[in-house]
Amino acid sequence: MTINHQARKRFGQNFLVDQQIISQIVSAVGPKPEDNLIEIGPGMAAITEHLVELCPSMSVLELDRDLVEFLDEKFSQYPNFTIHSGDALKTDFAEFYQGNELRLVGNLPYNISTPLLFHLLSVRHMIKDMHFMLQREVVDRLGAAPGTKAYGRLSVMIQYHCRVMPLIPVPPESFRPAPKVQSAVVRLKPHKTMPCVAEDELLLSKIVAQSFQMRRKTLRNCLKPYAEHLTTVSEVIDMGRRPEQLSVKDFVTLSNHINQSIHASETVIK
Ligand code: SAH
């Protein structure tokens, strides 16, 4: 079955046409019949039609209603294939869980990729793994090591929650229409056991965001708003370093130190 669908820019539609890349994605995912597999943005089913052969009970989530109609017809012979019509950013993924960890797949519109990653991290304990096609530059940032140019807020926050594995580089010619940028497929696996635990995750994300606002300055300068909680910090972290030199673990140590100090001062006030 085919469809005469005009790619819509506002839905970030760049359809995969490269069969070799498609089969590499499908083998990287390696779907099993019992998986709780969900594809975000199936589009014209370039990846879906292969996934469904291996996992007939998979679900898809698509924003474009015309495509929902097309998918409904195309997969009508799969009784357990479920189509959800809606916006991934507004979807409560916990509803998909039902005791079986989610495996998420998507060639995502690049304009929603970062907010969607953060949205998904809020249910990370229900997720087994994620395979996403993203802008190559974003994949580089996700996996970046401390001290490199690509290392920043996104690297720290994603690596705090997940193991990042860049898998497949994908050139613009693999899509119709071709995007202006290079792409790459990345696998993200939420940690089963957290390598380091922030006592207050919201505080960690604030500290990390604040630190990278001025990445050329020293930590002490970046974190001036927290100065009153940093009087004894040099026992745990060298504040003369630049934020990009700190590992994820260092940021967690720093955040926990500030958290302790905030709680200690609250106790005094009481
Ligand atoms: N997976 C297909 C299509 C990729 S294009 C392929 O590889 O060929 C991106 C797809 O995401 C489109 O189908 C688009 O309609 C859909 N989409 C865009 N924004 C979305 C959102 N917020 N939630 C769910 N799907 C979305």
Side-chain angles (χ1 to χ4, degrees), residues 94-111:
E95 284 180 11
F96 288 90
Y97 176 60
Q98 296 172 338
N100 191 2
E101 283 182 318
L102 313 183
R103 303 199 66 204
L104 298 164
V105 179
N107 166 18
L108 302 175
Y110 296 158
N111 57 333

Side-chain angles (χ1 to χ4, degrees), residues 252-270:
V252 172
T253 303
L254 179 60
S255 157
N256 287 348
H257 179 90
I258 295 175
N259 185 50
Q260 294 289 334
S261 165
I262 291 172
H263 284 291
S265 59
E266 279 171 3
T267 318
V268 172
I269 293 162
K270 276 182 211 152

Side-chain angles (χ1 to χ4, degrees), residues 7-62:
R8 294 197 169 110
K9 220 175 169 169
R10 75 190 156 98
F11 291 140
Q13 292 176 348
N14 297 95
F15 298 104
L16 262 174
V17 291
D18 185 331
Q19 287 305 321
Q20 206 179 334
I21 296 289
I22 293 169
S23 65
Q24 283 179 38
I25 295 172
V26 174
S27 32
V29 177
K32 301 269 180 310
E34 65 276 15
D35 286 346
N36 190 353
L37 184 66
I38 303 161
E39 188 187 1
I40 302 170
M44 292 195 281
I47 311 171
T48 330
E49 61 187 8
H50 301 277
L51 296 175
V52 75
E53 293 300 328
L54 301 164
C55 180
S57 62
M58 72 177 290
S59 306
V60 296
L61 173 58
E62 175 57 60

Side-chain angles (χ1 to χ4, degrees), residues 111-128:
N111 57 333
I112 71 159
S113 56
T114 312
L116 183 61
L117 287 178
F118 281 99
H119 178 59
L120 290 169
L121 287 182
S122 65
V123 291
R124 59 135 200 269
H125 50 287
M126 298 182 192
I127 298 176
K128 185 172 180 203

Side-chain angles (χ1 to χ4, degrees), residues 27-262:
S27 32
V29 177
K32 301 269 180 310
E34 65 276 15
D35 286 346
N36 190 353
L37 184 66
I38 303 161
E39 188 187 1
I40 302 170
M44 292 195 281
I47 311 171
T48 330
E49 61 187 8
H50 301 277
L51 296 175
V52 75
E53 293 300 328
L54 301 164
C55 180
S57 62
M58 72 177 290
S59 306
V60 296
L61 173 58
E62 175 57 60
L63 181 60
D64 185 335
R65 283 167 190 273
D66 291 349
L67 291 175
V68 168
E69 213 170 292
F70 158 79
L71 293 161
D72 207 18
E73 214 166 301
K74 180 171 170 92
F75 295 107
S76 58
Q77 76 278 29
Y78 290 84
N80 298 320
F81 179 88
T82 317
I83 306 172
H84 299 263
S85 170
D87 184 342
L89 289 173
K90 295 182 187 145
T91 298
D92 178 8
F93 283 88
E95 284 180 11
F96 288 90
Y97 176 60
Q98 296 172 338
N100 191 2
E101 283 182 318
L102 313 183
R103 303 199 66 204
L104 298 164
V105 179
N107 166 18
L108 302 175
Y110 296 158
N111 57 333
I112 71 159
S113 56
T114 312
L116 183 61
L117 287 178
F118 281 99
H119 178 59
L120 290 169
L121 287 182
S122 65
V123 291
R124 59 135 200 269
H125 50 287
M126 298 182 192
I127 298 176
K128 185 172 180 203
D129 57 21
M130 305 176 252
H131 291 81
F132 290 137
M133 173 88 71
L134 303 170
Q135 227 170 297
R136 176 130 15 134
E137 185 229 316
V138 174
V139 171
D140 289 346
R141 281 162 55 204
L142 292 177
T148 62
K149 233 172 96 184
Y151 187 70
R153 182 182 168 213
L154 191 62
S155 328
V156 176
M157 292 317 298
I158 297 291
Q159 290 172 29
Y160 172 74
H161 295 285
C162 304
R163 194 145 80 93
V164 179
M165 287 162 273
L167 299 177
I168 310 162
V170 185
E173 311 82 79
S174 299
F175 305 86
R176 294 274 184 287
K180 290 198 180 68
V181 293
Q182 298 286 329
S183 306
V185 177
V186 66
R187 177 188 294 143
L188 303 170
K189 264 179 101 77
H191 301 302
K192 283 282 161 260
T193 315
M194 296 294 279
C196 45
V197 179
E199 290 156 12
D200 180 342
E201 287 185 359
L202 188 62
L203 180 65
L204 173 70
S205 68
K206 283 187 194 161
I207 305 276
V208 172
Q210 178 81 27
S211 299
F212 283 106
Q213 247 174 29
M214 301 176 289
R215 55 188 292 140
R216 299 268 121 218
K217 301 221 167 158
T218 64
L219 268 178
R220 191 171 293 288
N221 255 318
C222 295
L223 294 178
K224 275 211 173 114
Y226 295 92
E228 62 172 309
H229 299 296
L230 293 169
T231 49
T232 60
V233 73
S234 54
E235 292 162 22
V236 288
I237 294 285
D238 172 6
M239 296 296 282
R241 289 194 288 167
R242 291 207 302 259
E244 66 196 39
Q245 295 169 300
L246 265 68
S247 66
V248 175
K249 191 161 179 283
D250 290 335
F251 275 109
V252 172
T253 303
L254 179 60
S255 157
N256 287 348
H257 179 90
I258 295 175
N259 185 50
Q260 294 289 334
S261 165
I262 291 172

